[in-house]
Amino acid sequence: MPGPLKGVSVLDLTGVVSGPFATMFLADQGADVIKIEPISGDITRRSRAAIDKKGEFSALFISSNRGKRSLAIDVKSDSGREVLAKLVAKADVLVQNFRPGTMERLGLGVEELRRRHPRLIYVSISGVGDTGPYVKKRVYDPIIQGLSGFADIQSQPVTNRPQMIRTIVCDKTTAVMTAQAVAAALYAREKTGNGDYIQVAMLDTMISYLWPESMSQYTVVGSEANSSDPNDRPDLVFKTSDGYLTCGTISDSEWQGFCQATGDPELAKDERFASPAGRSVNATARINRMQEYISQRTTADWLERLDAADVPCAPILRRSEIIHNEQVIARGLIAEIDQPTVGKVRQPKPAARFELNESKIAGPAPRIGEHSQEVLIELGYDEAAIKKMVVNKAVRLAS
């Protein structure tokens, strides 16, 4: 069966990660995503070490742009603007993450395009939105980690020095939010016949994402000073005699299960940990006490004991161990596909599984301008017109 978004045309004018990752999800779900990139190619093709001889692919680019078609074009040229105008007229969705004002200078501002094409769903992804004193800032993931409180949440326990999480979590979370918003807008359009203008800011996304538990002490107005910091405790990384694991003891049954797994009857009698409230107030003491027990046995021994006691637990895997993990293998989470000029590459399968409208990896990431000629022919350009654009360096075809 085709994916749930089969027949949806997406014009992707995004770069780096937040936009490309979002439109890749749409491609996984069956949308025809045309990636508009400069003649030199998307910056992420070169922002990490190249993994092919031609220097067109980085692992980051492949994992954010699989299943798309690439049109390499100079959007500032007259012919480039003409091509974009024709593509917009056919598109269901346009996604862009240029700095404020860029799309207007290209003649692709939201008001003009939505006036001409009322069914168009126009999506703008930004760092901090289109208002406020930070609007003109150049924004990347660490900037949002700093502004949203994410770095503070990762603070070192002794020095309280903020730390960045070592993945571009803000970019990728914004991508998921964007893909969900596009799906909602497509559903609304089916009912009303009208497109929409969607703005997704990374800062907005991450504050929303972090709020439920990480900002809980600021939820009740006027009680901020009286609320304990939910992050003022050790994390749930426990060192065993030969590795690391994590486990949780939120409910009474889980705590009793952990006590049972230790084999020490005295632990269950400790009044500090006898209730959920007590375990929360005395979290640091509880977690440190758990570590004392866990350090005495191997990871495998503890996992067997904790599973038998129905305590949530798992080994903490090194990245090299993930693809070999028994649960990952059982679920078939990792696929291998052929990537032109690179070879065989691993990709995670789409996380949302549809019973009737299967989502799947639509194909490899495109080479620079791999589909330029194909897309231009679909728009009605003949070979002579395409050749002229190539000569004028308005369009690039894959070599």
Side-chain angles (χ1 to χ4, degrees), residues 234-255:
D235 59 25
L236 297 180
V237 175
F238 297 102
K239 183 169 177 36
T240 66
S241 64
D242 64 350
Y244 295 88
L245 62 76
T246 185
C247 65
T249 53
I250 296 175
S251 69
D252 287 332
S253 64
E254 290 163 358
W255 175 248

Side-chain angles (χ1 to χ4, degrees), residues 28 61 99 120-121 126 137 153 173 204 237 329 376:
D28 284 347
F61 181 84
R99 295 178 78 178
L120 178 67
I121 295 167
S126 66
K137 276 184 176 290
I153 291 167
T173 304
D204 303 16
V237 175
I329 292 171
L376 292 172

Side-chain angles (χ1 to χ4, degrees), residues 12-291:
D12 179 3
L13 285 88
T14 66
V16 194
V17 176
S18 61
F21 204 43
T23 55
M24 188 194 75
F25 293 139
L26 305 179
D28 284 347
Q29 294 175 0
D32 176 21
V33 180
I34 299 176
K35 180 176 181 64
I36 307 298
E37 53 184 325
I39 302 296
S40 58
D42 188 316
I43 189 175
T44 54
R45 290 184 182 272
R46 304 175 301 279
S47 63
R48 299 292 190 275
I51 57 175
D52 70 318
K53 292 181 180 179
K54 289 183 175 290
E56 287 188 287
F57 292 110
S58 66
L60 176 62
F61 181 84
I62 290 172
S63 299
S64 304
N65 290 281
R66 68 185 187 217
K68 302 177 186 179
R69 297 197 286 167
S70 168
L71 170 60
I73 193 166
D74 178 4
V75 296
K76 296 180 181 179
S77 68
D78 291 340
S79 52
R81 293 186 187 209
E82 178 185 89
V83 169
L84 282 180
K86 291 185 177 184
L87 284 170
V88 170
K90 296 178 60 176
D92 295 293
V93 181
L94 180 153
V95 187
Q96 67 89 19
N97 64 351
F98 290 114
R99 295 178 78 178
T102 302
M103 290 293 281
E104 285 71 18
R105 289 193 294 273
L106 294 173
L108 298 171
V110 60
E111 292 183 6
E112 177 66 15
L113 290 192
R114 293 203 62 238
R115 182 183 63 78
R116 293 181 189 173
H117 311 290
R119 287 179 55 83
L120 178 67
I121 295 167
Y122 190 113
V123 185
S124 294
I125 302 173
S126 66
V128 297
D130 63 353
T131 57
Y134 293 175
V135 135
K136 293 185 178 180
K137 276 184 176 290
R138 184 177 288 274
V139 173
Y140 289 114
D141 195 278
I143 307 300
I144 303 303
Q145 289 199 40
L147 287 174
S148 66
F150 218 109
D152 180 51
I153 291 167
Q154 304 299 318
S155 293
Q156 295 175 345
V158 177
T159 65
N160 202 34
R161 178 185 183 274
Q163 296 186 115
M164 300 291 178
I165 191 168
R166 293 178 181 175
T167 183
I168 46 176
V169 64
C170 304
D171 274 298
K172 292 186 288 186
T173 304
T174 300
V176 175
M177 183 74 76
T178 300
Q180 187 279 327
V182 168
L186 286 167
Y187 174 70
R189 193 182 69 174
E190 289 301 301
K191 295 190 298 180
T192 66
N194 296 319
D196 209 334
Y197 177 37
I198 303 170
Q199 299 181 73
V200 186
M202 292 169 66
L203 178 60
D204 303 16
T205 297
M206 295 315 296
I207 287 179
S208 174
Y209 173 88
L210 290 171
W211 201 273
E213 85 295 3
S214 299
M215 294 292 287
S216 59
Q217 70 188 114
Y218 300 100
T219 298
V220 179
V221 177
S223 298
E224 297 85 355
N226 300 321
S227 301
S228 61
D229 185 347
N231 301 299
D232 186 21
R233 62 187 65 174
D235 59 25
L236 297 180
V237 175
F238 297 102
K239 183 169 177 36
T240 66
S241 64
D242 64 350
Y244 295 88
L245 62 76
T246 185
C247 65
T249 53
I250 296 175
S251 69
D252 287 332
S253 64
E254 290 163 358
W255 175 248
Q256 292 302 320
F258 180 82
C259 294
Q260 175 187 332
T262 67
D264 181 358
E266 294 303 312
L267 182 60
K269 299 177 183 178
D270 193 320
E271 290 297 324
R272 295 175 299 170
F273 314 137
S275 67
R279 290 192 293 277
S280 178
V281 170
N282 299 292
T284 297
R286 169 177 55 87
I287 293 169
N288 288 338
R289 192 80 175 97
M290 291 170 68
Q291 177 61 78

Side-chain angles (χ1 to χ4, degrees), residues 311-326:
V311 177
C313 63
I316 293 179
L317 302 176
R318 297 297 185 177
R319 282 170 290 177
S320 60
E321 298 174 312
I322 293 171
I323 60 176
H324 306 296
N325 176 260
E326 57 187 354

